[in-house]
Amino acid sequence: MLIRDGEGDALPDLAAARALVLDTLREMRRLPHIYGPPRAWQRDVFVITDEAGGVLTEIPCDTPA
């Protein structure tokens, strides 16, 4: 299932976007009472896009953060 972030984040480069994803994954693992247990989302991916919606990269949720 795709969940779009309608607002997104304006970041300077792909490295900053990747760092934000890894920070988010750390938070998701730290707060399972909010995000659900990792088994519920560990097979999902974060899709990083440019402003036009073009896919730059995908980061699996089971990536070590």
Side-chain angles (χ1 to χ4, degrees), residues 28-29 31-41:
M28 290 172 69
R29 289 182 183 111
L31 301 170
H33 60 285
I34 294 173
Y35 296 101
R39 72 178 175 277
W41 46 261

Side-chain angles (χ1 to χ4, degrees), residues 19-54:
L20 179 58
V21 168
L22 295 178
D23 285 346
T24 302
L25 285 170
R26 277 190 287 277
E27 181 176 333
M28 290 172 69
R29 289 182 183 111
R30 188 175 63 83
L31 301 170
H33 60 285
I34 294 173
Y35 296 101
R39 72 178 175 277
W41 46 261
Q42 68 186 358
R43 292 192 174 135
D44 295 337
V45 297
F46 279 86
V47 179
I48 298 174
T49 63
D50 60 19
E51 291 178 0

